[in-house]
Coordinates of all heavy atoms in Angstrom, one line a residue:
V18 N 72.1 140.8 86.7 CA 71.1 140.0 87.4 C 71.0 138.6 86.7 O 70.9 138.6 85.5 CB 69.7 140.7 87.4 CG1 68.7 139.7 88.0 CG2 69.7 142.0 88.2
S19 N 71.1 137.6 87.5 CA 71.0 136.2 87.0 C 70.0 135.5 87.9 O 69.9 135.7 89.1 CB 72.3 135.5 87.1 OG 73.3 136.0 86.3
Y20 N 69.2 134.6 87.3 CA 68.2 133.9 88.0 C 68.6 132.5 88.2 O 69.1 131.8 87.4 CB 66.9 133.9 87.2 CG 66.4 135.3 87.1 CD1 66.7 136.1 86.0 CD2 65.6 135.9 88.1 CE1 66.2 137.4 85.9 CE2 65.2 137.2 88.0 CZ 65.5 138.0 86.9 OH 65.0 139.3 86.8
Y21 N 68.4 132.0 89.5 CA 68.8 130.7 89.9 C 67.7 130.0 90.6 O 66.8 130.6 91.1 CB 70.0 130.8 90.9 CG 71.3 131.3 90.3 CD1 71.5 132.6 90.2 CD2 72.2 130.4 89.9 CE1 72.7 133.1 89.7 CE2 73.4 130.8 89.3 CZ 73.6 132.2 89.2 OH 74.8 132.6 88.7
T22 N 67.8 128.6 90.6 CA 66.9 127.8 91.4 C 67.5 127.9 92.9 O 68.7 128.3 93.0 CB 67.0 126.3 91.0 OG1 68.3 125.9 91.1 CG2 66.4 126.2 89.6
P23 N 66.7 127.6 93.9 CA 67.3 127.6 95.2 C 68.5 126.7 95.4 O 69.5 127.0 96.0 CB 66.1 127.1 96.1 CG 64.9 127.5 95.3 CD 65.3 127.3 93.9
E24 N 68.5 125.5 94.7 CA 69.6 124.6 94.7 C 70.9 125.2 94.1 O 72.0 125.0 94.6 CB 69.3 123.2 94.0 CG 68.1 122.5 94.6 CD 66.8 123.0 94.1 OE1 66.6 123.4 93.0 OE2 65.8 123.0 94.9
G25 N 70.7 125.8 92.9 CA 71.8 126.5 92.2 C 72.4 127.6 93.0 O 73.6 127.7 93.0
L26 N 71.6 128.4 93.7 CA 72.1 129.5 94.5 C 72.9 128.9 95.7 O 73.9 129.4 96.1 CB 71.0 130.4 95.0 CG 71.4 131.7 95.6 CD1 72.2 132.5 94.7 CD2 70.2 132.5 96.0
K27 N 72.4 127.8 96.3 CA 73.1 127.2 97.4 C 74.4 126.7 97.0 O 75.4 126.8 97.7 CB 72.2 126.1 98.0 CG 72.9 125.4 99.2 CD 72.1 124.2 99.7 CE 72.7 123.5 100.9 NZ 74.1 123.4 101.0
K28 N 74.5 126.1 95.8 CA 75.7 125.5 95.3 C 76.7 126.7 95.1 O 77.9 126.5 95.4 CB 75.4 124.8 93.9 CG 76.6 124.2 93.3 CD 76.2 123.5 92.0 CE 77.4 123.0 91.2 NZ 77.1 122.6 89.9
L29 N 76.3 127.8 94.6 CA 77.1 128.9 94.4 C 77.7 129.5 95.7 O 78.9 129.7 95.8 CB 76.3 130.0 93.7 CG 77.0 131.0 92.8 CD1 77.7 130.4 91.6 CD2 76.0 132.1 92.3
R30 N 76.8 129.6 96.7 CA 77.3 130.0 98.0 C 78.2 129.0 98.7 O 79.2 129.4 99.3 CB 76.0 130.2 98.9 CG 75.3 131.5 98.6 CD 74.1 131.7 99.6 NE 73.4 132.9 99.3 CZ 72.1 133.0 99.3 NH1 71.4 132.0 99.5 NH2 71.6 134.2 99.0
D31 N 78.0 127.7 98.5 CA 78.9 126.7 99.1 C 80.2 126.8 98.4 O 81.3 126.7 99.1 CB 78.3 125.3 98.9 CG 77.0 125.1 99.8 OD1 76.8 125.9 100.7 OD2 76.3 124.1 99.5
E32 N 80.3 127.0 97.1 CA 81.6 127.1 96.4 C 82.4 128.3 96.9 O 83.5 128.2 97.2 CB 81.4 127.1 94.9 CG 82.7 127.2 94.2 CD 82.5 127.3 92.7 OE1 81.4 127.3 92.1 OE2 83.6 127.5 92.0
L33 N 81.7 129.4 97.1 CA 82.3 130.6 97.5 C 82.9 130.4 99.0 O 84.0 130.8 99.3 CB 81.4 131.8 97.5 CG 81.9 133.2 98.0 CD1 83.1 133.6 97.1 CD2 80.9 134.2 98.0
Q34 N 82.1 129.8 99.8 CA 82.5 129.5 101.2 C 83.7 128.6 101.2 O 84.7 128.9 102.0 CB 81.3 128.9 102.0 CG 81.5 129.0 103.5 CD 81.4 130.5 103.9 OE1 80.6 131.3 103.4 NE2 82.3 130.8 104.9
Q35 N 83.7 127.6 100.4 CA 84.9 126.7 100.3 C 86.1 127.4 99.8 O 87.2 127.2 100.4 CB 84.5 125.5 99.3 CG 85.7 124.7 98.9 CD 86.1 123.7 99.9 OE1 85.4 123.5 100.9 NE2 87.3 123.1 99.7
L36 N 86.0 128.3 98.8 CA 87.2 129.0 98.4 C 87.7 129.9 99.4 O 88.9 130.1 99.6 CB 86.8 129.8 97.1 CG 86.5 129.0 95.8 CD1 86.1 129.9 94.7 CD2 87.7 128.1 95.4
K37 N 86.8 130.6 100.1 CA 87.3 131.6 101.2 C 87.8 130.9 102.4 O 88.9 131.3 102.9 CB 86.1 132.5 101.6 CG 85.7 133.5 100.6 CD 84.6 134.4 101.2 CE 84.4 135.7 100.4 NZ 83.3 136.5 101.0
D38 N 87.2 129.8 102.9 CA 87.6 129.2 104.1 C 88.7 128.2 104.0 O 89.5 128.0 104.9 CB 86.4 128.5 104.8 CG 85.3 129.5 105.2 OD1 85.6 130.7 105.3 OD2 84.2 129.1 105.5
V39 N 88.8 127.5 102.9 CA 89.7 126.4 102.7 C 90.8 126.7 101.7 O 92.0 126.7 102.0 CB 89.0 125.1 102.3 CG1 90.0 124.0 102.1 CG2 88.0 124.7 103.3
E40 N 90.4 127.1 100.5 CA 91.4 127.3 99.5 C 92.3 128.5 99.7 O 93.5 128.5 99.4 CB 90.7 127.5 98.1 CG 89.9 126.2 97.7 CD 90.8 125.0 97.6 OE1 91.9 125.0 97.2 OE2 90.3 123.9 98.0
R41 N 91.8 129.6 100.3 CA 92.6 130.8 100.6 C 93.7 130.4 101.6 O 94.8 130.9 101.5 CB 91.7 131.9 101.2 CG 91.5 133.1 100.4 CD 90.8 134.2 101.1 NE 90.3 135.2 100.2 CZ 89.4 136.0 100.4 NH1 88.8 136.0 101.6 NH2 89.0 136.9 99.5
V42 N 93.3 129.6 102.6 CA 94.3 129.2 103.6 C 95.4 128.4 103.0 O 96.6 128.6 103.2 CB 93.6 128.4 104.8 CG1 94.6 127.9 105.7 CG2 92.6 129.3 105.5

Side-chain angles (χ1 to χ4, degrees):
V18 173
S19 295
Y20 295 95
Y21 291 88
T22 60
E24 300 82 35
L26 192 59
K27 182 185 180 327
K28 183 179 170 188
L29 208 61
R30 285 185 177 134
D31 290 347
E32 181 182 355
L33 180 61
Q34 200 65 40
Q35 169 75 14
L36 293 176
K37 283 182 167 182
D38 295 346
V39 178
E40 299 303 322
R41 247 187 198 160
V42 174

